[in-house]
Amino acid sequence: MQIKSVRIFWLVSSLFIGISQFSSAQKQAKKKYNVLFIAVDDLNTDLSSYGQPEVKTPNIDRLAKRGIQFNKAYTQFPLCNPSRASLMTGMNPDLIKVYNLTTKFRVTMPEVVTIPQLFMQNGYYAARVGKIYHYGVPTEIGTSGLDDALSWNEVKNPKGKDKTDEASVINLMPKPNGLGAALSYLMASGTDEEQTDGMVATEAIKLMDKHKNRPFFLGVGFYRPHTPYVAPEKYFDMYPLGSITLPNEPVDDLEDIPAAAFFTKPPNYGLNTEKLKQAKRGYYAAITFMDAQVGRVLDALDRLKLNDNTIIVLWSDHGYNLGQHGQWMKQSLFENSARVPLIISVPGGLKGKISERTVGLIDIYPTLADVCNLQVKQKLSGVSLKPLLKNPNVKWNRPAFTQVARSSFMGRSMRTERYRYTEWDEGRAGIELYNEQKDKGEITNLAKKPEYEALVKKMSAQLHKNFSAAQINIIDKQKP
């Protein structure tokens, strides 16, 4: 009897353990990742983790150690509204027909489902703090600008001292224009938390705390280093003016570049060296200030014990020229303007790895959907980067494409791991070809050299094939 009773006991115990383990596995399978979606305005890859140790970005550096850093990530369009609209809808600019700072993608594509909208449809709480979609900086700080109401359950639009102290901003331009398009800076008084980006971090932390017990998609949009370059004075102190250098390029550097490639006219706006150094110093100070706010958000994520269940994506809408070829800010197809920082951290995934494969911001939408097991009912222009999150060096044969508008035509560019090829007005206004492995400064345009004729022909055909396909509206109509 005793033996029989013992057997029954172990049988019941084993069954109970099995059911418990199965139940636990089911819960784990159904557990949803949170998404911390960090956007930075006008940030290029002058970051410590990207090989610029003179720029102090300890918090972006530590985020890179938590995930995969993509060293060759590119924007679809080096201008805020087209870039952000493209990224958030998963559609190329030629599909959504957004090429400027005023067009709303809901007008051109009213039925499109955005990234946060997709998460909302799958039971997530979606909230935004600061700039995720486009609105003018600094004029529209504190408003929703061109935000998309269908994308969020809740929004926050902070407005700090940088907005109220605009009269004190130093405008370096020879003919002063709006601060949002000027080389301008301000060594701000007061604390980090009094600045708009400091408030963005504070509000983001509050939202994470408030919604920590439910799956959330939190968009955290920082405004700096977008001009005016505003940061508390202590961040300027980290960059003595005497330590700031400008690009050292050949005197005849501009001679083999098509005129259409230049957006900054005249080169360097005609400013002297001292003013250019002041601008670059302000840009770097603003980066380090923004980085500190990213650090506050990451600290809160850890403190709230959300780090083991939260995907983190950090991206910038486009790169930023700092005097290369006499160009400043964006709206060019040079590497400094087209290339962006992109870091993705997935719980339980690889840490501290770098991928040298060419990818685009357009790939963020399908990647998040894939990693979070969300079904997408519309065709997307990009592809999932999940294979690269598992193996950053996996075989990959996808170039990245970028375009920018001029007054009456378009410039279109293709970046492979080795080359950048660009056509202006389909080649009628000039072409460019640079060997990015040997010529990182893009000093020598190879496009008209006889030995590169076959390569130019091949890359031109690929460029035209990509953009011809992109112009076809491939979105599936959504069911009511």
Side-chain angles (χ1 to χ4, degrees):
M1 278 301 280
Q2 287 182 340
I3 294 174
K4 186 176 181 180
S5 298
V6 170
R7 286 177 176 172
I8 293 173
F9 171 79
W10 283 113
L11 181 62
V12 173
S13 297
S14 299
L15 183 62
F16 178 79
I17 292 171
I19 292 172
S20 297
Q21 288 176 340
F22 179 75
S23 177
S24 177
Q26 274 192 320
K27 288 180 180 179
Q28 188 66 27
K30 291 181 179 179
K31 193 175 184 181
K32 294 180 178 180
Y33 288 130
N34 301 315
V35 178
L36 179 59
F37 196 67
I38 303 174
V40 186
D41 208 359
D42 283 20
L43 179 66
N44 66 13
T45 55
D46 282 8
L47 307 169
S48 181
S49 66
Y50 277 84
Q52 296 282 356
E54 70 272 22
V55 185
K56 299 169 177 60
T57 52
N59 297 293
I60 292 177
D61 296 350
R62 69 168 162 136
L63 177 57
K65 292 177 182 178
R66 294 171 67 155
I68 307 294
Q69 175 176 294
F70 292 89
N71 274 4
K72 292 184 177 68
Y74 297 89
T75 183
Q76 286 75 249
F77 203 112
L79 185 64
C80 296
N81 188 38
S83 171
R84 291 167 184 261
S86 174
L87 184 161
M88 297 298 288
T89 61
M91 302 285 173
N92 280 319
D94 283 333
L95 279 173
I96 56 175
K97 306 299 181 186
V98 176
Y99 305 118
N100 55 40
L101 295 178
T102 57
T103 301
K104 296 181 179 181
F105 68 84
R106 284 289 175 199
V107 174
T108 59
M109 276 198 151
E111 298 178 7
V112 71
V113 176
T114 66
I115 299 175
Q117 213 177 345
L118 177 68
F119 278 83
M120 289 168 64
Q121 291 174 354
N122 285 271
Y124 281 71
Y125 191 88
R128 170 189 65 76
V129 184
K131 184 175 178 179
I132 298 296
Y133 294 100
H134 174 68
Y135 51 94
V137 175
T139 56
E140 293 181 318
I141 286 178
T143 76
S144 284
L146 264 64
D147 190 46
D148 178 52
L150 296 179
S151 292
W152 315 107
N153 298 112
E154 185 175 1
V155 300
K156 301 285 185 180
N157 295 311
K159 182 170 71 173
K161 276 175 60 63
D162 46 314
K163 179 61 179 171
T164 56
D165 291 349
E166 276 181 19
S168 300
V169 170
I170 297 173
N171 192 330
L172 298 167
M173 302 296 277
K175 294 180 179 179
N177 53 354
L179 294 178
L183 300 184
S184 57
Y185 70 93
L186 175 63
M187 297 183 191
S189 60
T191 66
D192 287 16
E193 290 79 3
E194 293 175 284
Q195 302 296 319
T196 301
D197 273 359
M199 292 179 172
V200 167
T202 298
E203 293 296 335
I205 293 167
K206 289 179 181 177
L207 284 170
M208 284 194 296
D209 192 11
K210 180 180 178 182
H211 300 289
K212 61 188 175 185
N213 295 320
R214 65 191 297 186
F216 63 75
F217 182 102
L218 178 58
V220 182
F222 292 108
Y223 300 83
R224 306 302 168 210
H226 193 292
T227 184
Y229 316 124
V230 181
E233 189 171 354
K234 63 183 178 182
Y235 295 103
F236 281 82
D237 292 341
M238 296 180 185
Y239 300 97
L241 198 58
S243 70
I244 301 298
T245 60
L246 297 173
N248 183 18
E249 298 171 332
V251 176
D252 61 351
D253 172 48
L254 308 185
E255 293 183 4
D256 63 351
I257 302 175
F262 303 120
F263 187 78
T264 302
K265 299 176 182 180
N268 295 310
Y269 297 114
L271 296 172
N272 60 36
T273 297
E274 182 180 0
K275 287 188 175 182
L276 294 175
K277 287 185 175 183
Q278 288 174 3
K280 188 173 180 179
R281 180 195 189 195
Y283 183 76
Y284 281 175
I287 288 178
T288 302
F289 163 61
M290 173 277 302
D291 177 83
Q293 311 320 306
V294 170
R296 292 177 57 208
V297 175
L298 296 180
D299 288 344
L301 191 76
D302 294 342
R303 186 180 69 254
L304 295 169
K305 302 187 185 307
L306 294 169
N307 54 316
D308 291 337
N309 192 43
T310 302
I311 296 170
I312 308 171
V313 182
L314 183 142
W315 55 274
S316 172
D317 46 3
H318 46 70
Y320 208 79
N321 297 305
L322 293 171
Q324 296 84 2
H325 311 298
Q327 302 301 289
W328 288 82
M329 296 187 271
K330 52 255 191 180
Q331 298 205 61
S332 82
L333 294 176
F334 294 116
E335 186 79 353
N336 282 82
S337 182
R339 186 181 175 211
V340 298
L342 175 62
I343 300 172
I344 301 177
S345 171
V346 177
L350 297 177
K351 298 182 184 298
K353 301 299 182 180
I354 289 175
S355 177
E356 296 289 349
R357 301 297 178 246
T358 51
V359 301
L361 293 177
I362 198 72
D363 300 323
I364 291 177
Y365 192 144
T367 301
L368 285 176
D370 191 8
V371 174
C372 295
N373 298 310
L374 306 183
Q375 183 181 2
V376 181
K377 297 180 181 179
Q378 64 194 27
K379 294 180 181 179
L380 303 175
S381 299
V383 298
S384 173
L385 302 179
K386 191 174 181 178
L388 293 175
L389 295 176
K390 292 182 176 181
N391 178 3
N393 299 311
V394 73
K395 186 176 181 181
W396 194 260
N397 192 30
R398 290 183 59 85
F401 297 91
T402 305
Q403 64 189 98
V404 72
R406 293 295 183 251
S407 58
S408 59
F409 58 83
M410 196 75 70
R412 304 184 187 277
S413 189
M414 179 173 74
R415 178 66 155 88
T416 67
E417 289 186 24
R418 185 173 184 180
Y419 293 102
R420 173 173 295 285
Y421 176 75
T422 302
E423 290 185 0
W424 296 97
D425 194 16
E426 299 185 345
R428 290 182 287 269
I431 60 176
E432 298 171 80
L433 175 66
Y434 302 104
N435 186 329
E436 299 288 346
Q437 291 181 348
K438 296 181 179 180
D439 181 18
K440 294 185 182 300
E442 299 172 320
I443 301 300
T444 304
N445 183 2
L446 306 171
K448 293 185 178 180
K449 294 185 179 296
E451 60 268 37
Y452 289 93
E453 183 178 354
L455 179 61
V456 166
K457 185 176 180 180
K458 178 182 177 181
M459 296 191 77
S460 177
Q462 191 172 1
L463 184 79
H464 283 258
K465 181 180 179 181
N466 174 79
F467 282 103
S468 294
Q471 289 169 2
I472 300 172
N473 191 332
I474 61 172
I475 184 172
D476 291 340
K477 294 294 183 182
Q478 300 298 298
K479 295 179 180 179

